[in-house]
Amino acid sequence: MSDTDFADMHADVMAEFGQAGFVARGVDEPVPVTVVIDRGVAQTDDYGRVVRRVDIASFLVAEWQPQAGDRLTVGAWTKAVQTLDDDDGFVAKAVMHG
């Protein structure tokens, strides 16, 4: 598969499972995005014990590259990006705070 095929596949997944929202950085105007929110994802320690549960937002990198402090709003739900969990060049996963 080519990079174009992978990009199209990720766009199709976001269109099917994503939610419309807005993201803002600093004092800039909010930008519309489509994200997939995974709520209550368990984070574990080296022994497999759950140490906390977090919400993770998946962004299409072509739409938005999240950074710590960005504010994401989906409906009445608003949280800030705490850290980046993963970025494969197509989808960036951000751990949300708040």
Side-chain angles (χ1 to χ4, degrees):
M1 290 181 99
S2 70
D3 282 352
T4 303
D5 293 334
F6 277 111
D8 291 344
M9 176 191 67
H10 285 93
D12 290 345
V13 169
M14 285 292 193
E16 184 69 27
F17 298 107
Q19 296 175 279
F22 293 91
V23 65
R25 181 171 293 150
V27 295
D28 295 342
E29 288 295 314
V31 174
V33 292
T34 302
V35 295
V36 172
I37 308 286
D38 294 308
R39 289 179 168 65
V41 176
Q43 291 190 325
T44 58
D45 64 13
D46 292 339
Y47 301 101
R49 294 179 296 208
V50 174
V51 292
R52 69 179 183 157
R53 294 195 176 269
V54 297
D55 294 339
I56 295 181
S58 297
F59 295 81
L60 274 179
V61 171
E63 277 189 1
W64 186 264
Q65 285 239 226
Q67 293 179 2
D70 290 352
R71 291 175 322 282
L72 174 64
T73 301
V74 177
W77 184 90
T78 299
K79 290 193 177 189
V81 172
Q82 181 177 9
T83 58
L84 292 181
D85 188 46
D86 189 30
D87 183 346
D88 64 6
F90 298 103
V91 174
K93 294 181 179 234
V95 176
M96 306 306 291
H97 181 266

